[in-house]
Every structure is written in C-alpha cells, then in structure tokens.
Amino acid sequence: MSNASGGETTTSPSVMFTSAAGRSLFATLLISFATFNIRGLGSCDDPDDIHSKREQLGTDCLRYGIDICAIQETKVVKPDSCSLSNGYKLVLFEQKNGRHYGLGFVISPRFIDYVVCWNSISDRVSFLDLELPTKSGKLIKCRVVNVYGPHKKLAENNQQLLINFYSQVRDALNVPANVEIFVLGDFNSKLGKMTVSDK
C-alpha cells in the first residue's frame, strides 16, 4: 500500500496471541503491526508544521490503526524521539555509517506506557522491548525487531556485510524463551520467478 509520505507500507492484520504468562481469554491481546520503508523522513526544523513528513507519518499510522510501526531508510543521522501532534511517539536511531539507511519506530499512545526500552544494534538492526500487563496482573514481555537488509548488489560486492547483518539479527533475537518476538522490516528480498538478469 502506498501513502501520502511517498513510500510503501506493509501492514499485517492485528496479531492475536495469548502468552504463556496467562493462558486465559482475558490475556488475549490485539496488536496491529506495520513496517514502512519511508525513503527519507526529513528534518524536524518546524515541529508545529502539521503537514511535515513526520506528522504525516503519525496521521497515516492513526488512519490505518497501527500500534507499532517499524520504519526504515529514514536518512536521519542523529538520534531523536518526539511526540507527534496526535499522541504517537516517533523514535529515530543514530546512523554511524552514512546517511542512506536509518531505522525508527512509531508507537501509538495506547502502547507508549508499556515500552521498557529501545536500542540500536547497528544502522540496519534495532529493537523495541515492551511489557504488557494481563488481567491477572502478570506481564507479557515482547521484543519487536526492526531490520533493513542490504540489497543484492551490495551483498554480492561485500559478503561480509551480509554475514554481519544476519549476525546482528541473531543478536536482536537473543532473548529468553518467555519473550514474544516480532520481526518487522525490509529485508530487500525478491520473491517470484527469476528473470534472466537475476541469474
């Protein structure tokens, strides 16, 4: 799906799950996830500009009912976090190796209070940790991993880049067994039949 920000969005239906922390009907949660390669997010020079690309991102998340949106290719170098005018929180991670990548999250108001931390492993891998309370008072621990894989040409010219990327993904997935894991992002994969140029 494309939207006003100019990129492409992939949304998943609301994910329904019941954790081992409380297997009852009341422990069931609905979370709507999305991932979005935004192809540049611009600056926040005028935070009051409701038409800025950052504000439009929050508007799109609200329109589609998204709770957690993983964003890639922000092209933002310095880390930042801010509240958007509709209550969504925008988190942007630092880029250490250039300006062409960049990761972040957009978090809905109903989940902000349950965020434990966010962290960047590299320019291509980051994660968000949440603890969600159940009716029984127990906590469901979740990790949302955001990835931006190297495209084919980069990987062919630098095999170590691909090795490092999947090593970083494994690091992000290295959590205790009682943590629910969700992987979002842009793996730069190709699906479908190979063409002559792909062979």
Side-chain angles (χ1 to χ4, degrees):
M1 144 185 24
S2 61
N3 72 22
S5 297
E8 295 180 358
T9 306
T10 303
T11 59
S12 67
S14 295
V15 175
M16 184 181 291
F17 68 96
T18 305
S19 84
R23 295 197 180 280
S24 71
L25 180 62
F26 301 106
T28 303
L29 300 174
L30 287 174
I31 306 175
S32 179
F33 293 100
T35 186
F36 189 5
N37 184 319
I38 53 180
R39 300 175 186 167
L41 197 51
S43 66
C44 200
D45 296 334
D46 185 1
D48 297 323
D49 180 5
I50 62 170
H51 301 294
S52 72
K53 198 166 183 182
R54 295 181 185 209
E55 285 293 340
Q56 186 62 52
L57 181 58
T59 300
D60 290 341
C61 286
L62 179 62
R63 179 182 297 128
Y64 295 118
I66 296 166
D67 293 312
I68 306 285
C69 182
I71 55 177
Q72 306 85 39
E73 207 174 326
T74 65
K75 299 185 179 178
V76 173
V77 176
K78 295 182 180 179
D80 192 14
S81 67
C82 62
S83 294
L84 303 175
S85 62
N86 63 0
Y88 276 74
K89 189 171 192 71
L90 174 63
V91 177
L92 300 170
F93 294 104
E94 176 184 19
Q95 285 194 71
K96 298 178 181 176
N97 299 310
R99 311 182 61 90
H100 303 293
Y101 316 124
L103 301 173
F105 287 100
V106 185
I107 308 159
S108 75
R110 76 186 189 114
F111 279 94
I112 289 170
D113 290 341
Y114 304 124
V115 174
V116 176
C117 70
W118 54 72
N119 199 4
S120 172
I121 292 177
S122 72
D123 288 358
R124 292 185 176 275
V125 182
S126 63
F127 63 84
L128 176 74
D129 285 345
L130 303 101
E131 288 185 350
L132 306 173
T134 65
K135 294 266 185 178
S136 66
K138 295 181 180 179
L139 294 175
I140 299 173
K141 296 182 179 181
C142 303
R143 171 161 290 187
V144 183
V145 180
N146 184 3
V147 303
Y148 182 43
H151 59 74
K152 181 180 177 182
K153 187 173 182 181
L154 270 179
E156 285 178 343
N157 295 337
N158 185 354
Q159 287 294 316
Q160 191 60 46
L161 179 66
L162 202 58
I163 292 168
N164 291 344
F165 169 69
Y166 282 107
S167 174
Q168 293 155 4
V169 173
R170 279 193 297 274
D171 289 343
L173 298 176
N174 185 18
V175 295
N178 66 336
V179 177
E180 305 279 354
I181 299 175
F182 302 92
V183 180
L184 309 175
D186 180 357
F187 278 90
N188 268 312
S189 334
K190 291 187 176 179
L191 302 175
K193 293 182 179 179
M194 292 180 65
T195 65
V196 175
S197 61
D198 289 329
K199 295 180 180 177

